[in-house]
Amino acid sequence: MSNNKIILNGCIEKFKQENELPSNDSEAFELFAMTQLTKVNDLAFEDIQNSIVDGSNDGGIDSFLIIVNDFIPETIEDLDEIKFSRKTLVTIILSQCKKENSFKESTIDKLITSLPELFNLERSEDALLVRFNPDVVDKVLIAREVWKKCTIAGGQLTVSFNYCSFAEKVEINQAFISKADQLKAIASRLFVGARIDYTNFSSEELLRLYQTQKSLRLSLTFKENPLSTSYESFGIGYVGTVKLGEYKAFLKDIDDTIREDLFESNIRHYQGSVDVNEKIRVTIEDPSDEDFWWLNNGITIIADNPSLVGTTLSIDNVQIVNGLQTSYSIFLHHNGNSEDSRSVLVKVVINDNKTTIDHIIASTNSQNPVSPSLLRATDDVQREIELFFQNEGFFYDRRKNYYKNQGKPAAKIFGIQTNAQAIEAIVFSNPHITRSKPTSLIKDDAAYNRIFNQGYNYRVYLLCCLIAQKSAEYYRTIQDTAIRNKLSNFKLHLARVATSFLLGKSTTSIQDIISIDITDYNQEIFDQAKDLINVAIEDYLTANTGANLINMAKIKQFTDFLLAKLGENFTC
């Protein structure tokens, strides 16, 4: 085995251990490769896991990612929350990850055949399900809708194809190159006006990506010495003006794009060419006798470990919590000219207290109308759940990637959305809602308050996350590809049914669940749950002509049918 492959194997093994992943070699390679490929996007690990669609009838696609600005829609309904415009950035990433020793033409052949079928808008959902597994179809239905909305709005679409192999180097012949060109040509005809990328990654490229780390320490050069002020022993702050060109350079990532990771704690993303941003753009592009900061509210940054040398402030763990619209406008519309003496007002707060940071985020954004759902992470109940998880050796990611960036194991990190879905499916017996309208669980006040209640024993939140995780892990071990494809949209149904088999009763309550020992979920429990769901699916399809697996997973009618089947097995 070559040096690159030996080292890469060691990196993958370290990746598995650090994230406490039970994956086999093929799955681990896939997750590792996708983590490296999407490093610039700074995705949550569960986003990468949810992108995996491989298996039988996958059409040659192992991972299917759809990114709208920095948001990953789980359902078509999620798109209703997005205002598509000319500034909307959509990226569709189709990846093939093979732990094989060479690049094979047959891998591209599958995509060449599949792509025109998947993105033929005349092909119905039922027609696609004949050829492709439900995971692929579910993703492509969302991708189609995103594609249409982006195109109609005049947004920017990028379609990226990645082929990752365990090969020592990218060694391909002319026939392979020709087929890759054919794939790009097909994509160009389908996605008119889109940017089409195709990239091969061998062990050498994956190692290079692995070794490329984002700089966590950044330097910001002020126009003049910033004002430094402290508040007793609680923290220190810096206030000053930064030239527009210097601030643009501060925002620039290693690939010359904007550093999305700086805005994870911001409550909203770039709103495109809305009126306020158009006014900012005009101000940036057309210098006048007025300095930029006179006309703008400025930027608020939270960071730690400051070091001020002259006018340059070096800081760690930078988060821009207010001023995203201004930041994006400067990055997109300023020419970077260092001779431009106009500046933006920047205040930097040095504080690592989570509660204080949440208050700063909420307060600095309160001057604009914001949906309360965007500030759920600052709720007392969320902070208390986070503390409970931490005391139990797990990590509750109230703010996206907070614990990932600290290097905590991916297998022990759970987000608010994951938590809400697990509770809704297992405690309230509504797994269909977690498939049809997952984000409504957070955005709708009634649903949110029902799920997140300070009167509940917080152990139920951790246990439901772990039950859902075990269900997903069991699903990946199913050898029968027909059953595995059938259950791909029913993982949380599986978690709900398995809990009944463990408890020996058809109904579940919070008191029942907090009494559970998570280690009692074994192969036999999940096998029983799998068999019952499989029978329920077959019986439902027989009784309801025209039903399909994707829609069944999203409707109450099937959940009721499943729970009735479950009730036949128990007396209570």
Side-chain angles (χ1 to χ4, degrees):
M1 188 181 292
S2 67
N3 286 342
N4 280 348
K5 292 165 76 172
I6 291 171
I7 295 170
L8 186 63
N9 256 341
C11 293
I12 294 171
E13 190 58 35
K14 180 183 177 185
F15 173 77
K16 284 176 61 177
Q17 292 173 0
E18 287 180 342
N19 290 291
E20 300 184 11
L21 302 176
S23 311
N24 62 35
D25 285 348
S26 178
E27 290 172 340
F29 177 76
E30 194 167 48
L31 289 170
F32 175 86
M34 289 307 303
T35 300
Q36 307 317 310
L37 264 59
T38 59
K39 186 177 286 185
V40 70
N41 304 106
D42 206 34
L43 303 183
F45 190 75
E46 60 189 14
D47 291 329
I48 296 172
Q49 285 183 310
N50 292 338
S51 77
I52 305 300
V53 297
D54 68 349
S56 63
N57 302 326
D58 60 20
I61 303 170
D62 292 330
S63 170
F64 198 136
L65 264 169
I66 306 145
I67 307 174
V68 184
N69 294 324
D70 65 345
F71 176 66
I72 298 180
E74 292 186 44
T75 67
I76 289 176
E77 288 75 17
D78 283 348
L79 304 182
D80 295 337
E81 305 295 323
I82 301 172
K83 182 178 179 181
F84 286 81
S85 71
R86 295 182 64 83
K87 295 296 184 181
T88 301
L89 304 176
V90 171
T91 305
I92 298 173
I93 305 173
L94 304 177
S95 303
Q96 300 159 303
C97 304
K98 310 293 182 186
K99 196 172 185 187
E100 299 172 339
N101 294 320
S102 64
F103 291 87
K104 297 181 179 179
E105 295 171 36
S106 59
T107 302
I108 300 182
D109 287 336
K110 292 178 182 177
L111 267 182
I112 288 172
T113 303
S114 300
L115 201 67
E117 288 296 306
L118 290 170
F119 289 95
N120 180 344
L121 299 179
E122 294 183 348
R123 293 284 186 271
S124 68
E125 181 178 328
D126 289 334
L128 292 175
L129 284 167
V130 172
R131 282 189 58 176
F132 304 101
N133 72 48
D135 284 338
V136 171
V137 175
D138 203 26
K139 295 289 186 187
V140 84
L141 292 176
I142 300 170
R144 284 179 172 189
E145 199 63 27
V146 168
W147 168 31
K148 287 189 289 185
K149 287 179 177 291
C150 178
T151 303
I152 291 169
Q156 302 169 54
L157 173 65
T158 298
V159 181
S160 295
F161 299 97
N162 300 310
Y163 183 176
C164 301
S165 169
F166 193 58
E168 163 72 5
K169 294 181 178 294
V170 176
E171 295 179 337
I172 52 179
N173 58 28
Q174 192 57 47
F176 185 101
I177 295 171
S178 177
K179 289 188 176 181
D181 289 341
Q182 182 183 354
L183 176 63
K184 289 191 289 184
I186 291 170
S188 294
R189 289 194 296 271
L190 281 170
F191 306 103
V192 177
R195 174 184 171 185
I196 309 297
D197 295 330
Y198 175 92
T199 312
N200 293 312
F201 295 88
S202 69
S203 296
E204 182 177 3
E205 284 74 30
L206 289 175
L207 274 176
R208 193 174 299 127
L209 285 174
Y210 179 76
Q211 292 167 326
T212 301
Q213 301 293 331
K214 284 181 177 290
S215 172
L216 297 178
R217 188 163 181 82
L218 299 178
S219 295
L220 183 63
T221 301
F222 288 84
K223 195 172 181 180
E224 299 168 337
N225 286 329
L227 172 67
S228 173
T229 181
S230 61
Y231 176 57
E232 297 180 353
S233 62
F234 299 110
I236 188 170
Y238 299 86
V239 181
T241 56
V242 177
K243 282 187 177 182
L244 297 184
E246 288 282 358
Y247 188 66
K248 178 173 182 173
F250 174 74
L251 297 173
K252 189 177 292 186
D253 207 341
I254 54 177
D255 61 353
D256 291 332
T257 61
I258 194 167
R259 291 184 60 113
E260 292 282 0
D261 57 309
L262 300 184
F263 303 97
E264 285 165 9
S265 294
N266 210 283
I267 62 173
R268 64 176 80 192
H269 197 264
Y270 183 54
Q271 301 297 298
S273 55
V274 296
D275 183 59
V276 65
N277 287 343
E278 278 299 295
K279 290 177 181 176
I280 295 174
R281 179 186 65 80
V282 171
T283 305
I284 292 168
E285 292 180 343
D286 298 326
S288 67
D289 294 334
E290 301 165 329
D291 200 345
F292 180 82
W293 78 268
W294 299 354
L295 311 172
N296 186 273
N297 290 331
I299 312 294
T300 301
I301 295 173
I302 293 174
D304 54 40
N305 194 23
S307 173
L308 181 63
V309 178
T311 60
T312 299
L313 178 67
S314 297
I315 42 181
D316 289 339
N317 300 319
V318 177
Q319 281 295 294
I320 298 171
V321 298
N322 185 248
L324 181 146
Q325 308 302 320
T326 298
S327 297
Y328 262 80
S329 296
I330 292 172
F331 187 85
L332 293 172
H333 304 301
H334 193 267
N335 58 16
N337 182 7
S338 61
E339 299 301 316
D340 186 349
S341 62
R342 292 176 302 159
S343 54
V344 61
L345 179 67
V346 178
K347 64 178 181 180
V348 181
V349 180
I350 306 300
N351 196 296
D352 60 1
N353 182 282
K354 295 176 186 176
T355 302
T356 300
I357 289 171
D358 289 337
H359 289 163
I360 293 170
I361 292 170
S363 298
T364 54
N365 285 279
S366 62
Q367 71 272 25
N368 295 317
V370 176
S371 167
S373 65
L374 295 174
L375 295 173
R376 297 297 194 197
T378 68
D379 290 352
D380 287 342
V381 66
Q382 299 298 338
R383 283 198 291 266
E384 289 166 7
I385 293 172
E386 179 184 29
L387 183 59
F388 179 86
F389 274 51
Q390 205 163 17
N391 290 340
E392 297 293 317
F394 293 87
F395 306 96
Y396 189 55
D397 223 27
R398 290 188 300 115
R399 284 170 282 128
K400 178 186 172 186
N401 285 346
Y402 179 81
Y403 288 107
K404 173 188 171 185
N405 292 339
Q406 291 188 1
K408 303 302 183 185
K412 289 189 173 181
I413 299 174
F414 302 97
I416 294 178
Q417 186 70 51
T418 298
N419 196 353
Q421 288 177 273
I423 292 289
E424 186 71 9
I426 299 167
V427 174
F428 296 110
S429 299
N430 291 320
H432 58 283
I433 294 179
T434 70
R435 292 289 302 133
S436 60
K437 297 180 179 179
T439 54
S440 70
L441 302 176
I442 303 297
K443 294 175 181 176
D444 178 74
D445 282 340
Y448 176 83
N449 291 330
R450 174 170 50 81
I451 292 169
F452 294 106
N453 187 321
Q454 285 177 299
Y456 294 164
N457 185 318
Y458 285 166
R459 184 169 298 280
V460 74
Y461 295 107
L462 176 57
L463 284 171
C464 282
C465 285
L466 293 173
I467 294 166
Q469 183 184 64
K470 279 190 169 289
S471 177
E473 290 172 358
Y474 170 81
Y475 166 79
R476 290 194 292 270
T477 68
I478 298 174
Q479 298 298 312
D480 187 318
T481 54
I483 293 179
R484 182 172 174 172
N485 283 344
K486 199 180 298 178
L487 267 60
S488 65
N489 285 281
F490 296 89
K491 299 182 189 75
L492 283 172
H493 295 71
L494 184 66
R496 168 63 185 84
V497 173
T499 299
S500 274
F501 275 106
L502 181 68
L503 293 169
K505 55 191 301 187
S506 60
T507 59
T508 60
S509 69
I510 289 176
Q511 286 304 117
D512 291 327
I513 292 169
I514 62 174
S515 69
I516 287 174
D517 182 342
I518 193 66
T519 61
D520 288 340
Y521 282 86
N522 54 31
Q523 181 84 18
E524 181 182 357
I525 292 292
F526 279 115
D527 282 344
Q528 290 174 310
K530 174 199 68 178
D531 292 341
L532 186 141
I533 294 175
N534 187 45
V535 169
I537 289 173
E538 289 299 324
D539 290 351
Y540 188 88
L541 288 171
T542 300
N544 296 272
T545 306
N548 70 53
L549 294 172
I550 292 177
N551 288 334
M552 283 167 57
K554 298 178 180 180
I555 59 175
K556 186 176 187 298
Q557 185 179 350
F558 175 73
T559 296
D560 291 343
F561 186 86
L562 176 62
L563 293 176
K565 286 274 187 189
L566 188 61
E568 295 171 5
N569 288 264
F570 304 101
T571 57
C572 60

